[in-house]
Amino acid sequence: MKKRCSFLMLLCLLLTGCSAAASGGHLISASEGSGAYSEVLLPFLPGYTLQEAEDTLYAEVSRGNAVACFDVQAVPAMARGVGRYWYPHASATVVLAVDRTRTDAVITGWNSLRESGIPVGMSSFSVIRNMMAMGALSYGLDRKEPTKRDALDFLEYLCRNGGFELDGSDAPILICLDCEAAAWNRSGGTYEIIVPIEGTLSYRMGLLSDVPLTLEPGLDEALLAAGLPLAGGERPADFPDDYRSARTLGEEDYDRFLAITRDSSRDLRRQVFHTRLYTTADLREHILSALLIVVAILLWKGTVSHRMIRRDVRRVVIVMSWLMVGWLLLRLLKYQLLSEGTLCRLCWYGYYLFQLALPVALLYLAEILDREEGEKRLLRPPWPPLVVYALSVLLVMTNDFHQMVFRFTPGGNWVSDYHYGPGYWIVMAFSLLFLISALWNLLRKGYRIHSWRGRILPLLFCGVLLVYLAAYIKRVPLAWESDLTVNICILSVLFFEAVLHGGLIPVNIQYQRLFTSAPIRLTLLDENGRTVLSSPGVRPISHSVWQRLRTDMHQPLLRDRDTLFHAVPVRSGMAVWQEDLSQINRLRREIQDVQARLEAANTLLRDEGEVKKRLLTAEANRALFEQLDRDMERRVTSLAHLIETLPEAEHPRTLTAYITLCLCHIKRRCNLFFLARQGESLPSEELGMYLDELAELARYGGLKILIRCGQTDALEIRSAAVCYDFAFETISWTLQEEASPLMGYLEAEGAQLVFRFLPGGDPGRWQFSRELTDAVAALGGQIICKDLDDAFGICLSVPLGGDACG
């Protein structure tokens, strides 16, 4: 059963191979150096035709084609599921080819190149050949732990001292494949093929396919006859004899080889030659940079579209953005083309379809800025620039027929080896003329801009763009090695953004949405009085009102009873705010009504206050006199009793004098009572007069008395009343006890008011009235009787502060 199944599987494979051969296919040479191998192989692969690669190795294999490539391409591809069959036939070893007609230096390997100081070059600069050379050099410099860093340092040393070039086929010493050097010698060359003694790598060359291949016999002999060494190790006679230092990669070595040689072309440019430091250096970076710039331009286009007020200006900006995006996408397509044929050259010509359109679009934009949106006719129609643009594009796209724009050899390396013809200078002169005209119109129409940045920055970016183009045309290394498309697009975006920020092109930040949702009644007018933006529900502003506002913007304009206009100048026009006075007028009327009601209420309250005031005054007077009656009741009662006893008195004169003294005391106490209610103070002179009055009346009663007032400042009324009562009661006691003479002195001692009396008798038997002692205690004072040996003294002391001290 197993034999039967194996036989069926073998039969299926044979039938598949026969059907593939019968149906035919293409033999693709997918890497540089496999062309000679493909030509030898083609007769031994029936049904296949030789064809140049149109896509990547992976795509060609997936289409059923047989691809001639190296093992470092085929084995990793099979590990990733691309291709199922690998047929290695030939080998290629990285060697040193020394032209003995130009140098007789002793070259044995890699390290001898350091000592010779002779220029070294690589025979090719393709990506796969750079990887193969970098891998061989890495394995040769360090067999155990090969690294790319060692190879790059080695080549940088050669570049700095002896000289090193990519695609340096004219160098005396070349890093190449042994089969290439042997073919040069067969064509008359004088190269010595040296296998580096430190070590190198031998790569196998074969076919990668998705279907099994059937080859005719005799291929090995044909390869040897064509000067190609076999994968098994057999080599033609003109190859070196000793290949012991050459190493062939095993299955386990390919991943490490790819890790070492990845990005070799980029690292050679940047770390060996120190070029492409600020621009893309390999195909991957070319693609990623184009995609990144495309995304950035589309995002910028979105932001600019939202900042534009006018739709026609917005459309022109969108067209300019898509021109740059199309230019970058065409550049990206060009880099995807493997062969540098007619299609690749047409993509190169297609760059100018977008590049020349940018100045024309900018010129059209500058022309429509000073006209109202929706106006159909321009003062200067854009047809002449459009005609010149169409003729310029036609001239560039037909360059293969007349070579007036770019001059090169069609079959040569036209990608970098070309020169500019008279047609190129004509096209660029017109493009430069359109750019200068557009810039002049922008600056001329933006003459009102006062900011220097609004004028300098656009000119600065435009100047940088022109300098860069001139440097690129002159092939200055820094500009020539950069990406023309990416840099022009970036500078164009920066230039246009500077124009927007400078105010040369009118922009807004969602002004339309702001005005639509704004609750205020605002209108923007241009310099001719036309409405640009207005809030919903706003009454239109007539031309006559606009003229009156423009005459004096600082003075508000009353349109009617309920509308007041406020205007402020803005760039290229004015902003008018319509203040609604209807609410204010309604509030004013309401305030007037409330004010009238309040005035009526105030009149009523004022009348009521007057009535209450009179009532309160009467009540206060009644309470005042009642209190006065209470204060004077005892004194009046005592006085009445004295008057009743006057006829029966033994000494009428003395009693009459005492009655007069009491009347005077009552009169002055009433006076002091009213002064206390008024909150006034008593001058010291008036108190002295009161005391003198008491002393004078006491003399009529036969009392010898002398009272002096040494206080000069005004007294608080309660303190003055206490002193007066104290003097009256002391005089009364002296009259009754006939304790003449009596001497008194009132003065201030520090913070105390002291009133001293020296009577002619002993005052110890005298008791002062309760009203007086309570009043003295309330003020914080005291009354003291002192024995002075040969006399007696009575002393009243109270604080000078009166109530404040009590």
Side-chain angles (χ1 to χ4, degrees), residues 77-343:
M78 294 177 63
R80 290 161 176 78
V82 180
R84 292 183 292 173
Y85 302 97
W86 165 240
Y87 302 96
H89 300 124
S91 68
T93 303
V94 178
V95 298
L96 296 174
V98 182
D99 189 354
R100 287 306 178 186
T101 62
R102 302 174 63 183
T103 179
D104 55 357
V106 178
I107 304 297
T108 59
W110 305 115
N111 291 323
S112 61
L113 298 178
R114 297 177 183 267
E115 304 169 358
S116 66
I118 301 174
V120 179
M122 282 190 182
S123 60
S124 174
F125 62 91
S126 67
V127 175
I128 185 62
R129 292 293 294 275
N130 289 340
M131 294 176 61
M132 293 167 64
M134 290 291 294
L137 186 56
S138 300
Y139 277 87
L141 294 176
D142 189 347
R143 294 188 178 186
K144 296 182 180 181
E145 295 294 333
T147 61
K148 184 196 296 186
R149 183 73 265 168
D150 293 337
L152 293 174
D153 292 341
F154 174 80
L155 295 177
E156 184 183 14
Y157 176 83
L158 295 182
C159 183
R160 188 172 57 251
N161 294 281
F164 174 72
E165 298 178 6
L166 285 177
D167 196 21
S169 56
D170 293 335
I173 302 176
L174 296 175
I175 301 175
C176 60
L177 300 178
D178 54 355
C179 55
E180 288 181 327
W184 297 337
N185 287 335
R186 288 193 295 270
S187 300
T190 56
Y191 289 95
E192 179 184 358
I193 303 175
I194 299 172
V195 180
I197 59 175
E198 297 88 351
T200 187
L201 289 181
S202 292
Y203 302 98
R204 291 173 295 171
M205 195 185 312
L207 290 178
L208 178 64
S209 175
D210 249 349
V211 297
L213 302 176
T214 302
L215 300 176
E216 299 290 340
L219 177 60
D220 292 347
E221 291 77 5
L223 292 174
L224 291 173
L228 297 175
L230 301 181
E234 186 177 356
R235 294 176 177 81
D238 54 349
F239 280 69
D241 297 329
D242 188 3
Y243 274 81
R244 289 177 298 177
S245 61
R247 174 185 175 182
T248 302
L249 296 175
E251 293 291 336
E252 70 281 359
D253 295 326
Y254 287 104
D255 289 339
R256 186 174 187 179
F257 172 85
L258 292 179
I260 292 174
T261 60
R262 182 179 291 115
D263 301 325
S264 293
S265 298
R266 183 196 66 188
D267 294 337
L268 283 171
R269 288 188 173 102
R270 289 182 177 160
Q271 302 184 35
V272 175
F273 299 104
H274 300 290
T275 60
R276 300 271 182 173
L277 299 178
Y278 309 106
T279 184
T280 55
D282 59 4
L283 180 60
R284 183 179 62 184
E285 291 186 353
H286 295 334
I287 295 174
L288 291 178
S289 66
L291 294 177
L292 179 63
I293 300 301
V294 165
V295 171
I297 291 177
L298 291 178
L299 292 176
W300 173 80
K301 178 186 73 67
T303 62
V304 172
S305 298
H306 284 286
R307 285 182 283 169
M308 286 295 173
I309 297 176
R310 294 173 46 173
R311 295 181 180 180
D312 52 352
V313 176
R314 187 187 310 161
R315 285 193 291 267
V316 176
V317 174
I318 292 174
V319 169
M320 296 176 68
S321 302
W322 282 115
L323 286 175
M324 290 185 280
V325 170
W327 190 2
L328 289 168
L329 293 179
L330 181 60
R331 166 192 177 274
L332 185 61
L333 173 64
K334 179 179 177 293
Y335 278 118
Q336 303 303 311
L337 300 176
L338 299 180
S339 61
E340 297 173 354
T342 303
L343 180 59

Side-chain angles (χ1 to χ4, degrees), residues 516-654:
T516 302
S517 58
I520 60 175
R521 308 170 73 181
L522 188 63
T523 304
L524 283 183
L525 304 174
D526 61 12
E527 56 187 0
N528 296 320
R530 293 175 295 193
T531 300
V532 178
L533 290 172
S534 62
S535 301
V538 176
R539 298 174 62 180
I541 299 176
S542 63
H543 191 72
S544 59
V545 173
W546 170 75
Q547 287 181 337
R548 293 170 62 187
L549 288 172
R550 188 178 61 172
T551 304
D552 187 6
M553 292 190 187
H554 301 287
Q555 185 67 29
L557 177 63
L558 185 63
R559 178 173 183 173
D560 50 38
R561 190 173 182 274
D562 293 333
T563 305
L564 184 64
F565 287 156
H566 300 269
V568 292
V570 296
R571 181 180 299 175
S572 301
M574 71 171 66
V576 180
W577 170 44
Q578 299 185 21
E579 184 179 1
D580 186 8
L581 302 181
S582 59
Q583 298 294 331
I584 298 177
N585 292 331
R586 181 179 61 80
L587 291 176
R588 184 180 291 112
R589 289 192 297 270
E590 292 179 357
I591 291 173
Q592 290 174 352
D593 294 341
V594 171
Q595 185 177 1
R597 290 195 297 270
L598 288 176
E599 289 178 354
N602 287 338
T603 302
L604 293 176
L605 291 175
R606 188 167 54 250
D607 296 340
E608 183 182 0
E610 292 293 334
V611 173
K612 289 183 177 181
K613 182 179 179 181
R614 289 194 295 270
L615 292 176
L616 290 175
T617 301
E619 183 66 23
N621 292 334
R622 184 185 62 78
L624 182 63
F625 284 107
E626 287 180 356
Q627 183 179 359
L628 181 60
D629 290 341
R630 286 193 300 270
D631 290 345
M632 297 300 166
E633 182 178 4
R634 183 184 61 83
R635 296 182 177 91
V636 172
T637 303
S638 176
L639 180 61
H641 176 70
L642 290 174
I643 294 172
E644 290 177 356
T645 60
L646 179 61
E648 302 175 357
E650 295 180 0
H651 304 286
R653 177 183 174 86
T654 303

